[in-house]
Amino acid sequence: MQQRFLAPLLLTLSSSLSSSVFGFQLRPPQAYSSPSRVFLSASTSSTTDTLTDTEVQTLFNLLADSTILYDPSRGTCCRNRCSGCTYLDPAGNFLFDEYTTNNTSEEDSRGWLAPYVNVDFGECIQTSKWSTLLFPPASSDDSDDAKAAKKKKEVERKEFTTLLEEQQLSSSSVSPLAIQALWNTLSPSVGYPRLTSTEIIRAIKGMEGAKSEMGGAVTYDTFAKNLLAAGDQIQQLGGLSDGDDESNVVDYDAMEKEELLGLCVERGMKTNFPKMKRIIIEELRFFDANGRQGKRHPVKNTLS
């Protein structure tokens, strides 16, 4: 008797719960933007399903340094040559660790992505190869906007492709998929329409396998693993799209903080994260790319 009574009730509850939980309507994730997709020109098409070893090696060679300098003070030294400073040698020069491909293990023999734009130890100054490529000095021919972006060390997505193409990368050696995967890899989370040098440094240090003993430098094997994973994610989300219309990509940077928080609420996201604009945008971009809210790593401060 009880079973006959409970069966229709359970069926009704199951049907109700399938469409709402505690008063909130459940709906499938919506792609508010296509952050993992790159829009190719009409003359470009992509048939590459996976990244090749040649593409990975080519991109790494463009960005990697054969020498890395590491600050043993981890940025705590004030560089004022204070008396008794433990980060000065007997001659009064700043101490630093130097890693080169000539005196390291086989794993490091191809070089590293440097976890900095530049380092200055007084007698020794070094600028990373990737920052020289992506943030070239302004020229007299640049527009005012271009000069301002270079001064801020900021690169737009389209300019990123142009800078790589200027290195005489042919379509046969590096595909649009590889370039988009690189963009996603150098972003703290996928979906950024532009990147600053600070964000790229965060992404390099946050890569799975980055060498903490070298300040977050990235070896070829680590770079390859992360780049291939980014390529696979792009394919899982639908691959690349033809056309040059980017109107369906939301420019969160142009929005006010209140607007961004409103979008979080609209997506049903929890807003218990710090209310900094950069953090809110990261949360939104991760949601757009994955259809769910991310979990922030307590140390690396990255979403997964």
Side-chain angles (χ1 to χ4, degrees):
M1 182 68 176
Q2 285 183 324
Q3 290 180 343
R4 286 198 302 271
F5 174 76
L6 289 174
L9 177 60
L10 291 173
L11 182 61
T12 303
L13 286 173
S14 176
S15 175
S16 175
L17 287 172
S18 66
S19 60
S20 66
V21 176
F22 301 116
F24 292 96
Q25 287 296 117
L26 293 178
R27 56 184 178 181
Q30 299 185 37
Y32 291 85
S33 66
S34 301
S36 301
R37 299 163 75 90
V38 58
F39 295 85
L40 312 177
S41 64
S43 61
T44 306
S45 61
S46 175
T47 57
T48 305
D49 293 328
T50 57
L51 305 185
T52 66
D53 292 340
T54 300
E55 290 178 312
V56 176
Q57 183 68 67
T58 299
L59 292 174
F60 186 77
N61 289 343
L62 279 176
L63 304 172
D65 287 281
S66 58
T67 299
I68 291 290
L69 303 182
Y70 174 61
D71 178 8
S73 78
R74 294 180 178 268
T76 60
C77 178
C78 66
R79 294 287 186 263
N80 287 327
R81 302 181 188 273
C82 303
S83 176
C85 177
T86 58
Y87 298 111
L88 295 175
D89 65 17
N93 299 317
F94 294 114
L95 295 173
F96 62 89
D97 297 327
E98 182 176 13
Y99 299 89
T100 68
T101 55
N102 297 326
N103 57 10
T104 55
S105 63
E106 183 177 351
E107 177 191 6
D108 299 326
S109 62
R110 298 183 180 183
W112 307 266
L113 289 188
Y116 49 76
V117 170
N118 56 63
V119 285
D120 184 352
F121 295 103
E123 298 75 17
C124 186
I125 301 174
Q126 185 188 57
T127 301
S128 60
K129 193 174 177 181
W130 64 260
S131 66
T132 303
L133 170 65
L134 299 179
F135 306 105
S139 67
S140 57
D141 297 331
D142 289 335
S143 64
D144 291 341
D145 289 343
K147 290 178 180 178
K150 288 180 177 180
K151 186 176 181 180
K152 291 190 299 182
K153 293 194 178 298
E154 183 178 87
V155 60
E156 297 280 345
R157 175 61 185 85
K158 286 185 177 180
E159 184 188 2
F160 180 80
T161 300
T162 301
L163 290 169
L164 293 177
E165 289 175 346
E166 288 176 353
Q167 303 303 310
Q168 298 180 343
L169 294 177
S170 65
S171 58
S172 60
S173 61
V174 176
S175 64
L177 173 62
I179 293 177
Q180 182 63 30
L182 176 62
W183 177 265
N184 289 359
T185 301
L186 295 179
S187 304
S189 61
V190 298
Y192 278 53
R194 64 187 62 85
L195 287 174
T196 65
S197 58
T198 301
E199 289 166 337
I200 293 176
I201 291 171
R202 287 178 53 220
I204 290 174
K205 292 181 176 181
M207 285 189 199
E208 190 68 32
K211 307 193 75 163
S212 58
E213 68 273 19
M214 295 176 63
V218 168
T219 65
Y220 171 78
D221 289 343
T222 296
F223 174 79
K225 179 181 177 181
N226 284 269
L227 190 69
L228 292 171
D232 289 343
Q233 184 185 38
I234 292 171
Q235 295 293 50
Q236 291 169 7
L237 293 173
L240 307 180
S241 294
D242 292 332
D244 55 5
D245 177 17
E246 297 187 356
S247 60
N248 68 327
V249 177
V250 181
D251 186 1
Y252 293 128
D253 298 273
M255 297 183 182
E256 298 296 330
K257 187 188 298 185
E258 291 71 19
E259 293 180 89
L260 297 171
L261 287 171
L263 291 177
C264 291
V265 174
E266 179 185 327
R267 288 156 170 74
M269 298 168 59
K270 296 179 180 179
T271 57
N272 54 353
F273 44 76
K275 302 305 184 294
M276 298 168 57
K277 185 173 180 179
R278 175 182 61 80
I279 296 294
I280 302 171
I281 291 175
E282 283 185 10
E283 295 279 348
L284 285 167
R285 285 174 177 153
F286 187 93
F287 184 94
D288 292 344
N290 299 276
R292 63 172 178 82
Q293 190 164 4
K295 294 183 179 179
R296 192 169 292 276
H297 194 283
V299 178
K300 295 182 178 180
N301 199 32
T302 55
L303 293 170
S304 61

